[in-house]
Amino acid sequence: MALKLGVYLNSQHPAGDDPGRRFAEMVEQVRLIRSLRFDSIWAGEHHITPGFHFFPQLPLLHRLAAEAEGLWIGTNVTLLPLHNPVELAEDGAFLDVITGGKFLLGVGLGYRPEEFQIFGVPLAERVSRFTEAVEIIRRLWSEDRVTHSGRHWQFSDATIAPRPLQTPRPPPIIIGAQVPAALARAAKIGDGLLVVPLPTLDQLDSQLSAFKSARSATKQPPAEHFCRLLEVGCAADDETAMRRTAPFLLEKYRSYASWGLEGLTLDPNAAPDQQFRALASKRFAVGAPATVIEMLVAQHRCGINHLSMRVSWPGMGQDEILASIELIGRKVLPEVRQRTAAAGP
């Protein structure tokens, strides 16, 4: 089956940017994505991000669904422990209705103490809240009169309406994970795996193998959804792509490092060019169309079947964003689809 190719929308912007203008630009991006026949759009979630403003994930996706007819819409990721699962089940079901049964719920634990503090959720409870919420959402999406008595939520005879359109099963719950314990948990309770941008190709292969082994050990059927957020910078040639992409990606990853994201290190003594090349090597798809094509096909070879490509980052201008989407849509998508379809599942 051909690799599905979607675009992760950058909804994080420098604090001084006009949010109305940035939202209008995002609508223009989604219209172009749809016209070029990408498969999906995705958005992320963070709160109280110093120096940036972050469009709220679910309201944003509900609005953009009107511009994205025919596309899958996914969350990458929803910070599940911060949410009431009943409300999230209702919001997700409605997204599935308005997309015609094309909603993908990607969820993660979260890692920033500031977010847990402001939501009044103990960081120490994030795993127990996460696993309990997955159970609640799945049951509310597929059962009538749900009664639940758990550690964090208790209710009787609950039914949500409308329910999701997807049949015979409700929308997949795809779980973000990268360390062994999280991969085992995702294999046990999820419908698939959502991989972050940090792993190199070798690490990606190892993570997918660990997930599949853990899944097999639970006696569950093989998972159908292996998705990944991937940084993609495409221009006419490799050097131009590097030059246009590096400043924005480095700034983004410096923010991640300051937030305490696990597995990320940047050499403070290296020059910016060296920092970026070390970060991007065997990890990001940055270059001319041919370079990007090879990296996307390599993701499929490892077992990924749906990519969420982040093609813009905070502060990037609209002209460059649209040009990148256009180049990927016209020069990269057809070749990747042809090659991965021929390669089989």
Side-chain angles (χ1 to χ4, degrees):
M1 183 180 296
L3 177 65
K4 286 187 172 65
L5 297 163
V7 175
Y8 178 100
L9 301 166
N10 171 49
S11 55
Q12 182 185 20
H13 304 288
D17 279 9
D18 175 6
R21 176 176 63 85
R22 284 300 192 181
F23 174 71
E25 291 175 351
M26 187 175 290
V27 170
E28 186 179 16
Q29 292 165 27
V30 172
R31 289 172 177 168
L32 179 60
I33 290 163
R34 180 188 173 199
S35 73
L36 292 170
R37 301 187 181 277
F38 285 79
D39 293 296
S40 58
I41 58 170
W42 305 71
E45 177 184 21
H46 275 300
H47 305 273
I48 55 167
T49 51
F52 301 95
H53 60 75
F54 217 113
F55 292 162
Q57 181 188 60
L58 293 173
L60 175 68
L61 290 176
H62 279 94
R63 167 62 181 86
L64 292 177
E67 315 293 340
E69 185 177 358
L71 300 181
W72 288 87
I73 289 185
T75 61
N76 192 345
V77 293
T78 296
L79 304 176
L80 189 53
L82 303 183
H83 291 266
N84 182 300
V86 177
E87 182 178 22
L88 187 55
E90 292 176 337
D91 287 344
F94 185 57
L95 258 171
D96 201 56
V97 169
I98 64 178
T99 58
K102 290 194 167 186
F103 175 56
L104 303 166
L105 178 61
V107 294
L109 279 177
Y111 61 92
R112 297 180 65 227
E114 303 94 322
E115 292 175 316
F116 284 83
Q117 181 180 9
I118 205 165
F119 277 83
V121 175
L123 190 62
E125 293 181 359
R126 62 178 184 159
V127 172
S128 59
R129 286 177 174 270
F130 184 91
T131 55
E132 190 173 335
V134 168
E135 177 189 352
I136 291 169
I137 293 168
R138 184 175 284 119
R139 291 189 65 198
L140 287 172
W141 279 351
S142 56
E143 301 175 21
D144 288 320
R145 302 176 63 86
V146 175
T147 295
H148 177 84
S149 179
R151 175 180 172 185
H152 303 290
W153 294 281
Q154 304 83 33
F155 51 86
S156 299
D157 294 331
T159 300
I160 67 165
R163 294 251 285 274
L165 289 187
Q166 288 188 56
T167 57
R169 290 174 288 178
I173 301 177
I174 310 167
I175 296 181
Q178 55 178 326
V179 301
L183 289 166
R185 180 169 55 249
K188 181 178 180 181
I189 67 174
D191 299 309
L193 180 65
L194 187 56
V195 182
V196 300
L198 277 176
T200 63
L201 283 171
D202 290 342
Q203 292 166 337
L204 172 64
D205 189 62
S206 177
Q207 288 184 12
L208 292 179
S209 295
F211 175 90
K212 291 174 181 177
S213 295
R215 182 83 173 183
S216 178
T218 66
K219 308 299 183 184
Q220 296 185 78
E224 297 180 10
H225 301 274
F226 293 93
C227 307
R228 185 180 192 186
L229 173 59
L230 186 70
E231 312 288 9
V232 178
C234 193
D237 58 78
D238 288 350
E239 287 304 315
T240 301
M242 287 278 187
R243 186 176 66 253
R244 289 180 179 175
T245 302
F248 300 104
L249 258 178
L250 275 178
E251 184 64 23
K252 179 66 176 172
Y253 278 79
R254 288 186 185 117
S255 295
Y256 280 148
S258 71
W259 296 350
L261 181 65
E262 294 181 2
L264 174 62
T265 56
L266 293 171
D267 182 358
N269 299 315
D273 180 69
Q274 293 174 316
Q275 284 186 330
F276 181 74
R277 291 181 184 277
L279 185 64
S281 179
K282 298 183 180 180
R283 179 179 282 125
F284 303 155
V286 178
T291 301
V292 172
I293 288 166
E294 291 302 323
M295 190 59 166
L296 301 191
V297 171
Q299 306 294 314
H300 184 261
R301 197 177 297 122
C302 286
I304 296 295
N305 56 25
H306 198 153
L307 279 176
S308 170
M309 298 181 290
R310 180 157 51 186
V311 302
S312 63
W313 304 272
M316 180 173 274
Q318 178 74 342
D319 288 347
E320 286 192 356
I321 296 170
L322 295 177
S324 181
I325 292 171
E326 182 95 23
L327 186 58
I328 294 168
R330 298 197 183 282
K331 299 294 186 181
V332 175
L333 259 66
E335 180 70 15
V336 171
R337 284 176 173 154
Q338 181 179 12
R339 288 177 57 177
T340 56

